[in-house]
Amino acid sequence: MNIIVCIKQVPDSDKVTIDRETNRLNRAGVPSIINPFDENAIEMALQLKDKHGGKVTVVSMGPPQAEQALREAISLGADEAVLISDRKFGGADTWATSYTISLAIQMLGEFDLVLFGKQAIDGDTAQVGPGVAHFLGLPIITYIKDLEKTSEGYKVNKVVEDGYEVWEVKGKAAFTVLKEANTLRVPSLKGKMKAKTAVINTWGVVELNPEEAKIGLSGSPTRVVKVFSPPVKSNREILEGETAKEKVELLLSRLKERKIL
Amino acid sequence: MSLKEIWVYAEQREGKIANATLELLGEGQILAEKSGYLLAAVLLAKNTKLMLQELYNYGAKKVYVIEDQKLEHYQNDYYSKVVADLILEKKPEIVLYGATTVGRSLAPTVAVMVYGGLTADCTELDFDTEKKLLLQTRPAFGGNIMATIVCPDHRPQMSTVRPNVFKKKKLGEAIKGEVVNIKADLSKVAERMKLVEVIKEDSKDIDLAEAQFIVSGGRGIGAPENFDKIRNLAHALGAAVGASRATVDAGWIEHFHQVGQTGKTVCPVVYLACGISGAIQHLAGMQSSDVIVAINKDAQAPIFDVADYGIVGDLHEIVPELTKQVNNRKK
């Protein structure tokens, strides 16, 4: 099986703190990681490779340092990696990003399956997976918690609000993968060695030859016009009392005042 | 010239209109007033009869109805084709979808098909009457930054909108509206995916996303068996049980309960955080709750920064006491 996994490098949200003076994120010095949901997509691909043989290729679009995320994926067992990076891709929204990634995947040649994490934890949009799938002409099922290869294609369980749905897909397909899909492996020593020396190709405008009107900021339908900190709650109150009983009584009276209880 | 339109994608599951759709119609009424556009709904189903009236009652002046055997259940290929075709034909200014599992698959597919703008998971919508643009505000990175996004040149302007944020507004019981029947042409859409089975999980636990009250436990509860205390309080309040990532990673409780960036995003009326320190990735999932109550023995814990009410103390005393007092009130 030839499996492609799309991943994103994101800041590690466990290490980000808030500057309470400015109410902004302290991002300086925060390490970058593979988007946590993408790790489960990688793991799903690796398990399929373990079972059926084949090759796992990881693809990421981002600044040059996103190469580190690709090397991490190789240390886990991915075979090849491609970085999509070019100043001209900067400012791309999910539409332009989906378009650009789909061009790179088309250049990779034959494949059976494209996997994505459920969403990235920095943007939280969950839009690039379905977008790429459409540009590639692939059926997509989102939010899958497991996947089984069948003679005709794939059988997956898609998690929905009140349970899950069993879907069968014929032929080549794309899926977005949930956290509960699997348990992550740790990189082997051999993997780490391989990651150090692996050659990672960078593809930009020259290699992908996109329609220039569809990339970067100018190809993006949406524009961010304002970024601001959410209003801080002004009426924060620490409920004082001598005993647990007093504190709880005070809490319940506050909730009653607000007509909640 | 006919009136420009705002569309709400009317999500139905087994013939029932989703709550998220009714909320969107409520917000759609406000946007329609500000913009002077007409509020319409788009309803795809095998049989739509019983659902039409409800859409009118909640504010849709017009409903585009597409009935087809193939549209009984949500299927990404069929649904995206129908919605995209209709958008290209009727050219609405704005299309809103609930940020549900359906909306968040359908909207990004349609956006790519029609080259429209799409903003995910909005928590606030407004209309700039001067520039005639939809102002779409959403939390980004951990909910600590809000971004307002517009779509200046492409149409339609589309958003998925977080459930439980906007209020429904019912206009009456027998409100009249216009129905526009559209014939779907799905003959050329290959059947590449098929729904084989639907499994309902009648979990004894209340669904976090729908819950009005949530009681969550963090590492501060000390041991997996102490989730019983959290569950007891949740039971007393009729609340759902939430958990921090640390407790899920430690195997104390299933991932199903995890609130936060890699878990669920919730916005209940009351969120009770017990022994949760308040890492950004947790705050990201619960910050938009109406009222946040934090119980923690560490007065410096960041959770107190977002809490409306804080109790500094031992949760092993506070939580059972709270459970007791809540139960007493019910008697």
Side-chain angles (χ1 to χ4, degrees):
Chain A
M1 282 180 86
N2 272 349
I3 307 165
I4 293 167
V5 187
C6 296
I7 69 172
K8 184 176 185 184
Q9 190 183 47
V10 297
D12 185 350
S13 65
D14 270 354
K15 308 270 170 23
V16 179
T17 55
I18 307 167
D19 182 337
R20 284 294 166 198
E21 293 283 302
T22 60
N23 217 29
R24 290 272 176 198
L25 301 176
N26 294 319
R27 287 177 82 152
V30 173
S32 292
I33 53 169
I34 298 178
N35 175 45
F37 294 113
D38 301 347
E39 293 182 315
N40 298 89
I42 294 171
E43 180 62 35
M44 182 176 275
L46 294 174
Q47 288 183 11
L48 285 165
K49 184 179 102 166
D50 291 346
K51 202 168 164 189
H52 303 284
K55 187 174 82 172
V56 173
T57 305
V58 278
V59 174
S60 189
M61 176 164 155
Q65 59 266 31
E67 190 190 295
Q68 191 48 42
L70 293 168
R71 289 197 188 277
E72 269 175 57
I74 289 174
S75 76
L76 291 166
D79 300 280
E80 286 174 20
V82 174
L83 176 65
I84 306 167
S85 192
D86 196 306
R87 280 178 178 281
K88 288 189 172 166
F89 297 147
D93 73 356
T94 56
W95 199 102
T97 301
S98 302
Y99 170 69
T100 309
I101 293 174
S102 74
L103 294 179
I105 292 175
Q106 280 162 5
M107 282 191 37
L108 287 170
E110 279 301 306
F111 62 86
D112 302 288
L113 179 64
V114 185
L115 298 176
F116 302 84
K118 169 192 145 187
Q119 66 196 52
I121 61 162
D122 52 354
D124 285 320
T125 74
Q127 288 174 185
V128 170
V132 171
H134 183 75
F135 279 116
L136 293 172
L138 297 177
I140 183 157
I141 296 191
T142 50
Y143 307 118
I144 65 163
K145 65 172 180 177
D146 51 32
L147 178 146
E148 184 192 318
K149 192 176 169 352
T150 61
S151 56
E152 283 200 293
Y154 305 96
K155 188 172 176 185
V156 297
N157 290 327
K158 171 191 169 80
V159 174
V160 296
E161 280 77 3
D162 57 354
Y164 65 95
E165 299 170 348
V166 185
W167 286 82
E168 282 174 359
V169 185
K170 279 186 213 158
K172 284 199 273 187
F175 301 97
T176 73
V177 179
L178 295 176
K179 196 95 206 130
E180 57 252 54
N182 46 45
T183 308
L184 304 178
R185 66 189 67 192
V186 290
S188 64
L189 192 61
K190 198 175 141 211
K192 283 183 179 170
M193 297 296 286
K194 194 182 165 207
K196 269 189 193 154
T197 55
V199 176
I200 294 178
N201 288 320
T202 300
W203 291 351
V205 166
V206 173
E207 290 79 10
L208 298 181
N209 191 27
E211 288 180 51
E212 296 241 1
K214 292 184 176 175
I215 59 166
L217 188 63
S218 61
S220 300
T222 60
R223 291 281 179 283
V224 177
V225 287
K226 192 168 89 172
V227 175
F228 59 102
S229 302
V232 180
K233 288 190 171 170
S234 53
N235 53 348
R236 284 178 280 159
E237 184 188 4
I238 297 295
L239 304 171
E240 307 286 352
E242 289 296 315
T243 60
K245 184 165 177 282
E246 281 178 29
K247 292 174 184 173
V248 166
E249 280 168 355
L250 192 54
L251 173 63
L252 290 178
S253 70
R254 288 287 185 274
L255 295 178
K256 204 179 157 194
E257 282 161 28
R258 296 179 73 145
K259 302 201 189 329
I260 289 170
L261 285 181
Chain B
M1 212 181 90
S2 62
L3 217 49
K4 289 183 173 173
E5 294 183 356
I6 300 175
W7 287 5
V8 167
Y9 169 72
E11 180 176 335
Q12 57 90 13
R13 202 173 272 272
E14 288 158 20
K16 197 179 172 305
I17 299 288
N19 249 323
T21 300
L22 303 179
E23 291 164 10
L24 278 181
L25 287 170
E27 182 65 12
Q29 290 180 46
I30 297 167
L31 291 171
E33 198 164 305
K34 284 182 183 164
S35 61
Y37 299 166
L38 180 91
L39 182 61
V42 179
L43 178 60
L44 285 63
K46 188 171 123 187
N47 185 330
T48 61
K49 279 197 184 60
L50 297 168
M51 295 180 276
L52 265 178
Q53 187 60 51
E54 196 173 16
L55 295 172
Y56 298 143
N57 290 349
Y58 282 88
K61 298 262 184 272
K62 185 198 263 189
V63 181
Y64 294 98
V65 164
I66 303 97
E67 284 188 353
D68 196 295
Q69 286 291 337
K70 288 179 175 167
L71 299 175
E72 181 173 8
H73 294 281
Y74 180 77
Q75 202 261 28
N76 204 60
D77 283 347
Y78 295 152
Y79 273 60
S80 59
K81 167 88 166 98
V82 170
V83 174
D85 281 354
L86 196 62
I87 285 172
L88 292 172
E89 186 193 331
K90 305 286 180 187
K91 303 196 176 356
E93 278 291 303
I94 294 168
V95 185
L96 308 175
Y97 308 78
T100 59
T101 53
V102 166
R104 295 189 81 170
S105 302
L106 174 66
T109 307
V110 170
V112 166
M113 293 167 91
V114 304
Y115 212 155
L118 178 61
T119 303
D121 209 19
C122 297
T123 52
E124 204 184 312
L125 297 174
D126 201 354
F127 189 80
D128 181 335
T129 48
E130 210 169 286
K131 294 184 179 136
K132 306 279 180 213
L133 290 177
L134 179 67
L135 301 171
Q136 308 162 90
T137 299
R138 67 181 304 258
F141 200 73
N144 277 282
I145 288 176
M146 303 295 287
T148 302
I149 292 166
V150 298
C151 172
D153 304 316
H154 292 250
R155 288 295 176 270
Q157 313 165 72
M158 309 206 294
S159 321
T160 60
V161 177
R162 193 178 285 185
N164 298 328
V165 173
F166 294 123
K167 303 273 173 274
K168 293 184 235 183
K169 192 177 159 210
K170 195 169 182 179
L171 301 174
E173 289 297 341
I175 304 293
K176 293 226 165 7
E178 181 193 351
V179 60
V180 182
N181 287 295
I182 306 280
K183 183 99 191 75
D185 180 13
L186 294 169
S187 57
K188 291 197 186 71
V189 185
E191 195 190 32
R192 305 185 293 183
M193 54 174 101
K194 202 167 122 198
L195 180 62
V196 192
E197 203 181 349
V198 177
I199 290 129
K200 301 257 185 229
E201 284 182 335
D202 260 339
S203 164
K204 57 187 184 307
D205 296 308
I206 297 164
D207 184 14
L208 282 166
E210 298 278 326
Q212 299 291 300
F213 286 77
I214 294 174
V215 183
S216 270
R219 216 196 311 249
I221 67 169
E225 58 272 20
N226 289 335
F227 260 107
D228 288 348
K229 292 176 184 157
I230 302 294
R231 285 184 193 280
N232 288 343
L233 176 56
H235 184 72
L237 286 165
V241 173
S244 71
R245 185 165 108 185
T247 60
V248 174
D249 285 352
W252 294 1
I253 192 166
E254 307 85 63
H255 182 264
F256 174 81
H257 294 279
Q258 187 180 322
V259 172
Q261 226 163 16
T262 51
K264 291 189 171 127
T265 302
V266 298
C267 33
V269 177
V270 179
Y271 188 89
L272 260 147
C274 309
I276 291 177
S277 64
I280 282 204
Q281 72 88 22
H282 187 77
L283 302 184
M286 43 66 79
Q287 223 163 199
S288 50
S289 306
D290 288 354
V291 175
I292 296 168
V293 179
I295 301 167
N296 205 301
K297 65 172 191 270
D298 174 10
Q300 303 305 316
I303 191 76
F304 288 117
D305 291 336
V306 300
D308 296 80
Y309 303 112
I311 295 181
V312 180
D314 182 0
L315 71 92
H316 300 289
E317 287 175 34
I318 309 279
V319 171
E321 176 64 29
L322 182 53
T323 311
K324 192 173 100 190
Q325 291 196 26
V326 169
N327 281 329
N328 285 342
R329 284 175 63 96
K330 288 198 283 194
K331 281 174 195 158

